[in-house]
Amino acid sequence: MTTHEVVNQVPPLVGHDTADDPALLDGLAREGAGWAVAGLHDLGRLSGSEAATEHGRLANEHPPVLRTHDRYGHRVDEVEFHPSWHELMRTAVGHGLHAAPWADDRPGAHVARAAGFYVWRPDAGHGCPISMTYAAVPALRHSPDLAARYEPLLASTEYDFGLRPPEGKRGLLAGMSMTEKQGGSDVRANTTTARPEPDGSYRLVGHKWFTSAPMCDLFLTLAQAPDGLTCFLVPRVLPDGGRNPMRLMRLKDKLGNRSNASAEVEYEHAVAWRVGDEGRGVRTIIDMVNLTRLDCVIGAAAGMRQGVTTAVHHATHRTAFGRYLADQPLMRNVLADLAVESEAATVLMTRLAGATDRSARGDAGETAFKRLALAVGKYWVCKRWPGHAAEALECLGGNGYVEESGMPRLFRESPLNSIWEGSGNVAALDVLRALTREPQVLAAYEAEVAAAAGADPRLDAAVRAVRDELADPTDLELRARRVVERLALVLQGALLVRHGHPAVADAFCASRLGGDHGQAYGTLPGGLDLAAIIDRATPKLG
């Protein structure tokens, strides 16, 4: 005999299309990738399926395991993954989320890829090698011979896991290995050395404190060559099949992103090939860093969307005090506020993806805009995600605090993107560096914002305020976060006023620009169209 009947529980959020996102789809069309919509919906339905959700759970529940030696004592330095990890990777690579735009001449190819990366999120951990492979290609092009050898395999849509000679595989993945114990973000303090050999290769000796995705086939790394800090390409396996002495010392025990391996690595005279000129390592690898920054913004925007849709779904099906949560005014304020933040992140993300696409095709104006706006977006969107994830989790109450809801995993993931590829201070100071050294970037930013002039008086006032902030040179470094925050809010407001849903733009301008907002989510002012905002964040189950 049962003791109770289970009632008032929310059905699983499966069987929906994660690409059914109005802000994303509008941005896709606006930024020149409307041709990708049908394929994006296919990927979105797969991402929202029960099978993909389960693969994401299992990949997180069974983190990678390092095998340094085989049963006979031979050094192997292999990382083992759960089959669900491989399924997630196979889908991502098969849909070209890793590097396909570099082999696609269609305008909007990078935008389509960004949208796919945003949509395919059963577990965020596997996105790390996908992102780094995408970002490695432009850096590798600093050495055309290496690019000619490896770029076609990096762009291949075949997922071919395992340590074998790179040119004998059907597809390759790339990682990055820069950070050292003594330097952290200050990569110029790196002590790894690179000794040139007569055949044109180098031998690397040193310890890398944080190497992302050590199971990849190729790595871009920095080391001190005779003429200074230089970028190098390091293969895991040499052309003759021998293991390159890139020793995996241990895997990091991380807060989140647990399905992905991150390692400490020692180079014991590892074979490497120079990428770009000696002494130009930072300038060479910055191409990779900038694109991984784009993916940080995409990942944070995707995480916000996942958080708010989960919260809305829960509130739509859960009753308390005789009414559905979604019908109660204060909860509606919270949900709408979360949705506004999410859409502001998405509209900025799609604009940055469009700038990346046009910059890759030689548009100097878009390159200048991207230089500033990408650093601004990296700082702000990634910085906003942890608070957003915490509030979305709280919408589920105690249910959200339980691992099975998926919200703890989302919350643990949320601080990563603000740390990866330069923490908040690094990104904020990079904005100041760009403003000081490259005057064309501010002109490009102002032109973008000026396109919305006169559309909303609250936006116009915010534009004037940020100009005053920039005009004051006093303690500018001390005020860097404040300056970048205002640059980000003005840019998001301008994009929403021009391209967003009127209700979302109105709420953003009232709260984020007009100051009619508290210190927590759920403090939007009265008189806004909360129903229209929440509807855009409500997942439609199939």
Side-chain angles (χ1 to χ4, degrees):
M1 180 178 177
T2 61
T3 60
H4 66 284
E5 180 183 0
V6 176
V7 296
N8 196 27
Q9 284 290 333
V10 176
L13 181 51
V14 295
H16 68 296
D17 177 2
T18 61
D20 184 19
D21 179 338
L24 177 68
L25 296 175
D26 290 348
L28 204 67
R30 188 169 59 250
E31 300 296 341
W35 50 266
V37 168
L40 187 67
H41 280 299
D42 290 340
L43 183 61
R45 285 187 287 271
L46 183 60
S47 182
S49 68
E50 184 175 3
T53 301
E54 182 66 1
H55 281 312
R57 185 188 71 82
L58 289 171
N60 176 75
E61 289 289 327
H62 301 277
V65 176
L66 173 61
R67 304 295 184 196
T68 57
H69 296 78
D70 68 12
R71 60 180 290 194
Y72 304 106
H74 301 120
R75 188 86 194 219
V76 293
D77 293 301
E78 293 184 346
V79 184
E80 295 178 357
F81 290 86
H82 189 272
S84 285
W85 163 274
H86 294 299
E87 283 301 315
L88 298 177
M89 290 292 295
R90 190 170 292 111
T91 298
V93 172
H95 283 79
L97 306 186
H98 62 309
W102 303 114
D104 191 339
D105 292 333
R106 289 176 293 181
H110 290 271
V111 181
R113 180 262 167 193
F117 193 64
Y118 175 99
V119 162
W120 177 245
R121 304 292 288 185
D123 181 79
H126 84 289
C128 180
I130 297 301
S131 176
M132 289 188 299
T133 303
Y134 170 63
V137 171
L140 195 60
R141 288 178 176 177
H142 285 268
S143 288
D145 290 346
L146 292 175
R149 286 174 62 185
Y150 295 119
E151 187 174 326
L153 289 167
L154 289 169
S156 166
T157 53
E158 292 281 343
Y159 176 59
D160 190 3
F161 182 81
L163 295 181
R164 298 188 300 282
E167 291 176 275
K169 298 185 70 176
R170 301 187 307 276
L172 301 176
L173 294 172
M176 183 162 50
S177 184
M178 294 197 299
T179 307
E180 296 186 2
K181 294 189 290 290
Q182 75 289 341
S185 296
D186 182 9
V187 295
R188 294 186 187 276
N190 283 5
T191 61
T192 297
T193 60
R195 185 190 72 219
E197 296 293 314
D199 65 358
S201 66
Y202 289 71
R203 297 296 181 271
L204 305 189
V205 175
H207 185 105
K208 295 296 182 179
W209 185 239
F210 217 102
T211 294
S212 298
M215 63 288 179
C216 289
D217 303 288
L218 306 170
F219 290 85
L220 288 177
T221 191
L222 294 175
Q224 300 288 353
D227 286 338
L229 192 65
T230 303
C231 182
F232 293 94
L233 181 72
V234 182
R236 283 296 312 275
V237 180
L238 299 172
D240 64 2
R243 299 290 173 90
N244 206 3
M246 176 180 168
R247 308 303 189 195
L248 308 189
M249 308 309 293
R250 63 171 175 168
L251 299 185
K252 296 290 194 180
D253 187 6
K254 298 173 293 183
L255 168 68
N257 204 251
R258 299 185 67 85
S259 67
N260 175 52
S262 302
E264 291 177 37
V265 170
E266 287 191 353
Y267 298 128
E268 297 180 0
H269 302 283
V271 178
W273 285 271
R274 179 168 49 83
V275 180
D277 296 331
E278 279 196 14
R280 308 273 290 179
V282 172
R283 185 174 293 272
T284 299
I285 210 166
I286 200 68
D287 289 336
M288 185 177 192
V289 171
N290 280 332
L291 285 176
T292 51
R293 283 183 173 181
L294 171 64
D295 279 9
C296 286
V297 178
I298 297 170
M304 288 189 201
R305 177 68 181 182
Q306 184 178 349
V308 70
T309 54
T310 302
V312 172
H313 175 73
H314 179 88
T316 302
H317 293 87
R318 178 82 165 177
T319 61
F321 310 110
R323 289 186 296 173
Y324 283 108
L325 291 173
D327 293 334
Q328 302 190 27
L330 188 53
M331 178 60 81
R332 292 175 64 77
N333 196 318
V334 173
L335 296 175
D337 212 353
L338 292 172
V340 168
E341 193 72 36
S342 171
E343 290 212 26
T346 301
V347 74
L348 178 55
M349 177 274 288
T350 54
R351 178 64 183 93
L352 292 174
T356 299
D357 191 84
R358 289 182 282 275
S359 175
R361 300 173 197 284
D363 188 320
E366 289 291 86
T367 298
F369 172 75
K370 183 190 73 166
R371 171 66 184 95
L372 183 64
L374 185 55
V376 167
K378 164 64 168 71
Y379 171 81
W380 183 242
V381 175
C382 297
K383 188 65 69 180
R384 295 293 285 172
W385 186 18
H388 190 279
E391 193 68 60
L393 182 155
E394 188 175 329
C395 289
L396 277 66
N399 291 313
Y401 204 69
V402 173
E403 197 68 37
E404 290 168 314
S405 72
M407 297 302 278
R409 176 158 43 117
L410 187 72
F411 180 69
R412 288 192 301 269
E413 188 73 19
S414 63
L416 172 62
N417 290 32
S418 190
I419 297 170
W420 192 26
E421 303 316 339
S423 61
N425 284 356
V426 171
L429 293 173
D430 190 41
V431 171
L432 297 190
R433 188 178 304 111
L435 290 170
T436 302
R437 299 179 182 178
E438 304 170 62
Q440 71 275 16
V441 304
L442 181 57
Y445 172 91
E446 289 184 334
E448 181 76 20
V449 171
D456 190 293
R458 297 162 297 191
L459 174 61
D460 292 340
V463 171
R464 291 191 295 271
V466 79
R467 285 175 180 159
D468 292 342
E469 193 86 47
L470 291 172
D472 180 8
T474 308
D475 292 330
L476 193 56
E477 184 172 324
L478 181 68
R479 296 185 289 114
R481 287 190 174 212
R482 176 187 176 95
V483 170
V484 177
E485 176 178 323
R486 289 192 170 186
L487 286 167
L489 290 171
V490 165
L491 180 55
Q492 287 181 315
L495 291 170
L496 285 170
V497 165
R498 292 175 62 202
H499 308 302
H501 189 281
V504 176
D506 183 28
F508 185 91
C509 289
S511 57
R512 276 68 170 172
L513 300 181
D516 199 353
H517 196 254
Q519 298 300 310
Y521 287 102
T523 54
L524 291 172
L528 301 174
D529 189 354
L530 303 187
I533 297 170
I534 295 170
D535 181 68
R536 291 167 63 82
T538 304
K540 313 300 191 290
L541 299 183

